[in-house]
């Protein structure tokens, strides 16, 4: 699971530092580049709801194998130096990550029910490490391998390794305990305000995350940093997410109410963005650290909420599909909006104001999703919030 998690972010974070080179060498306009940053996040949202459906028909283990195979093929296709390969591979990568990322919380809930929230922090830490590697190594790989296309294609090797390891070590469906009785359905979830609150929190905090993945290096270059420095600043910020991702579930366990933890990490995100884009240059590394701590904790807590707000693994899988499907679809608007703002030559101050508005929206839904509530079924089999 940890090795799989390591592969779910390099495909996204490795693209951002290379955007200036892709724009100049591939001849793509700014709006096309904006679409390129939006496409994988949109695919996360569109394909995440397919994960529970595929899991019922093929089994969670085989579905995850297929997702890793699609991820490997997409990464290889994306390295073909042309717009068709770049966009086609990015679409396949987004679809694969959408399915794999949705399956993981349900697998954790099933395999490690008593410590599912802490295991969520561990594999989220792997996600953050993968993101840091993708951001930090993109420019060196491009310089070493002779171009941005080879740099993007190189990550297919890590994905292939995860596929081989998962095929060898995944649980055997024949040895698994019987699945729990069906609990609720996706349509019933749509009538539960708690499901919407968790989904919208996921959407707004993920929007900030994918804006950082897609545009932070470009925004830093806009401020005056060179592209290598901007890439490393983003890489260090994502690396810092490791510590917050592991610590956040422990912080959430201090009480049954997760609102204080959620508001803390969002305040760190807002402070980090302000320091990096508008604050004094001497405070840039403090901004890098604050942004990393906030985003690592925010994403880990968002996934932890899926586990804490459901009574069993089947319901966790359905909520995961709804939350990540709807949340990532909403999140896709963030990178697209930043691309439009850059195309219209808005100032860094205006862009930063828009980002802080997203932080405030996420905080509003954190106050609702962080309350001590849980989705479960009553004796009559009806889905309720208790």
């Amino acid at each position: 699971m940890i090795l799989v998690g390591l592969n779910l972010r390099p495909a996204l974070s490795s693209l951002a530092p290379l955007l200036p080179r892709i724009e100049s060498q591939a001849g793509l306009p700014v709006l096309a580049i904006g679409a390129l940053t939006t496409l994988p996040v949109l695919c996360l949202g569109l394909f995440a709801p397919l994960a529970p459906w595929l899991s019922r028909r093929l089994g969670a283990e085989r579905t995850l194998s297929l997702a890793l195979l699609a991820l490997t093929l997409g990464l290889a296709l994306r390295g073909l130096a042309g717009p068709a390969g770049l966009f086609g591979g990015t679409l396949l990568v987004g679809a694969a990550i959408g399915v794999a990322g949705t399956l993981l919380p349900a697998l954790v809930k099933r395999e490690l029910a008593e410590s599912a929230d802490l295991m969520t922090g561990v594999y989220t830490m792997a996600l953050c490490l993968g993101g840091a590697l993708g951001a930090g190594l993109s420019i060196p790989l491009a310089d070493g391998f002779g171009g941005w296309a080879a740099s993007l294609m190189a990550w297919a090797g890590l994905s292939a390794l995860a596929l081989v390891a998962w095929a060898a070590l995944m649980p055997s469906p024949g040895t698994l305990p019987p699945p729990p009785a069906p609990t609720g359905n996706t349509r019933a979830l749509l009538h539960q305000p708690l499901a919407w609150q968790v989904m919208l929190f996921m959407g707004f905090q993920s929007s900030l995350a994918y804006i950082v993945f897609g545009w932070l290096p470009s925004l830093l270059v806009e401020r005056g940093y060179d592209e290598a420095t901007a890439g490393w600043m983003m890489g260090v910020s994502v690396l810092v997410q490791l510590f917050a991702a592991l610590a956040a579930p422990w912080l959430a366990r201090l009480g049954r109410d997760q609102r204080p933890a959620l508001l803390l990490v969002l305040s760190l995100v807002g402070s980090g963005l302000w320091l990096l884009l508008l604050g004094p240059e001497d405070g840039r590394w403090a901004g890098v650290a604050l942004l990393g701590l906030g985003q690592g904790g925010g994403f880990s807590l968002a996934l932890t909420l899926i586990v804490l707000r459901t009574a069993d693994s089947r319901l966790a899988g359905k909520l995961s599909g709804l939350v990540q499907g709807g949340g990532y679809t909403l999140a896709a608007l963030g990178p697209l909006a930043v691309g439009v703002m850059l195309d219209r030559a808005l100032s860094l101050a205006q862009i930063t104001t828009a980002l802080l508005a997203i932080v405030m929206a996420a905080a509003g839904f954190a106050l609702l999703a962080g309350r001590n509530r849980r989705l479960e079924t009553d004796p009559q089999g009806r889905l309720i919030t208790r």
Side-chain angles (χ1 to χ4, degrees), residues 88-109:
T90 299
L91 189 153
L92 192 56
V93 161
I97 295 175
V99 171
T102 302
L103 288 174
L104 281 175
L107 282 169
V108 169
K109 184 85 171 181

Side-chain angles (χ1 to χ4, degrees), residues 9 14 47 59 72 76 80 89 100 131 142 148 153 169 182 187 189 206 209 245 254-255 266 332 362 367 370 372:
R9 287 299 175 268
S14 62
F47 286 90
T72 304
L80 299 177
W148 60 264
M153 187 180 289
L169 300 174
R187 184 173 298 176
L189 281 175
S206 295
L254 295 178
L266 288 171
L367 290 173
N372 183 25

Side-chain angles (χ1 to χ4, degrees), residues 149-201:
S151 176
L152 292 176
M153 187 180 289
W155 297 103
L158 183 62
S159 178
L161 175 63
L163 173 59
V164 171
W166 179 254
L169 300 174
M170 67 180 179
S172 172
T175 64
L176 295 175
T183 54
N185 54 58
T186 303
R187 184 173 298 176
L189 281 175
L190 293 174
H191 295 286
Q192 297 295 324
L194 179 59
W196 282 92
Q197 292 155 9
V198 176
M199 182 185 73
L200 289 168
F201 171 72

Side-chain angles (χ1 to χ4, degrees), residues 36-385:
L36 190 62
T37 63
T38 301
L39 181 61
V41 188
L42 183 61
C43 287
L44 292 183
L46 294 178
F47 286 90
L50 286 179
W53 182 82
L54 289 170
S55 181
R56 287 195 302 271
R57 284 154 179 78
L58 303 176
E61 298 77 20
R62 295 188 184 92
T63 301
L64 190 53
S65 296
L66 288 176
L68 288 171
L69 177 60
L71 178 61
T72 304
L73 294 175
L75 288 168
L77 179 62
R78 196 173 63 163
L80 299 177
L86 184 60
F87 279 90
T90 299
L91 189 153
L92 192 56
V93 161
I97 295 175
V99 171
T102 302
L103 288 174
L104 281 175
L107 282 169
V108 169
K109 184 85 171 181
R110 188 190 75 187
E111 298 291 327
L112 298 162
E114 296 301 318
S115 56
D117 53 346
L118 300 183
M119 182 59 194
T120 298
V122 172
Y123 83 73
T124 304
M125 184 176 69
L127 288 174
C128 297
L129 176 59
L133 292 174
L137 295 178
S138 286
I139 298 297
L141 286 174
D143 293 339
F145 291 157
W148 60 264
S151 176
L152 292 176
M153 187 180 289
W155 297 103
L158 183 62
S159 178
L161 175 63
L163 173 59
V164 171
W166 179 254
L169 300 174
M170 67 180 179
S172 172
T175 64
L176 295 175
T183 54
N185 54 58
T186 303
R187 184 173 298 176
L189 281 175
L190 293 174
H191 295 286
Q192 297 295 324
L194 179 59
W196 282 92
Q197 292 155 9
V198 176
M199 182 185 73
L200 289 168
F201 171 72
M202 169 68 86
F204 282 109
Q205 75 84 28
S206 295
S207 179
L208 293 165
Y210 291 113
I211 287 170
V212 169
F213 278 138
W215 288 112
L216 182 61
S218 298
L219 294 173
L220 293 174
V221 169
E222 185 79 12
R223 187 169 182 185
Y225 298 103
D226 63 81
E227 64 178 23
T229 300
W232 277 112
M233 288 173 70
M234 175 180 160
V236 172
S237 180
V238 179
L239 185 62
V240 172
Q241 293 182 18
L242 290 168
F243 308 102
L246 191 57
W250 289 93
L251 185 62
R253 273 195 169 193
L254 295 178
R256 295 182 178 180
D257 189 322
Q258 284 75 47
R259 285 177 290 185
L262 293 168
L263 293 178
L264 173 62
V265 296
L266 288 171
S267 67
L268 295 177
V269 171
S271 301
L273 287 171
W274 183 85
L275 279 172
L276 284 173
L277 300 180
L278 295 180
E281 191 171 326
D282 291 343
R284 65 186 183 277
W285 291 110
V288 164
L290 290 174
L291 181 62
L293 289 172
Q295 293 205 300
F299 184 64
S300 182
L301 285 173
L303 293 179
T304 301
L305 286 178
I306 296 173
V307 173
L308 294 178
R309 297 295 175 260
T310 50
D312 57 64
S313 63
R314 182 72 62 89
L315 191 51
K318 292 176 180 178
L319 182 63
S320 180
L322 176 66
V323 166
Q324 298 196 57
Y328 289 142
T329 302
L330 173 63
L333 299 175
L336 181 61
V338 172
V340 171
M341 287 188 282
L342 287 171
D343 185 59
R344 296 189 175 185
L346 269 64
S347 67
L348 276 179
Q350 292 171 307
I351 294 174
T352 305
T353 300
L355 298 184
L356 294 180
I358 297 175
V359 173
M360 294 303 296
F365 287 106
L367 290 173
L368 298 172
R371 296 174 299 169
N372 183 25
R373 304 285 190 274
R374 191 173 75 167
L375 294 164
E376 55 185 60
T377 52
D378 64 11
Q380 289 73 41
R382 295 173 300 186
L383 185 62
I384 60 172
T385 299

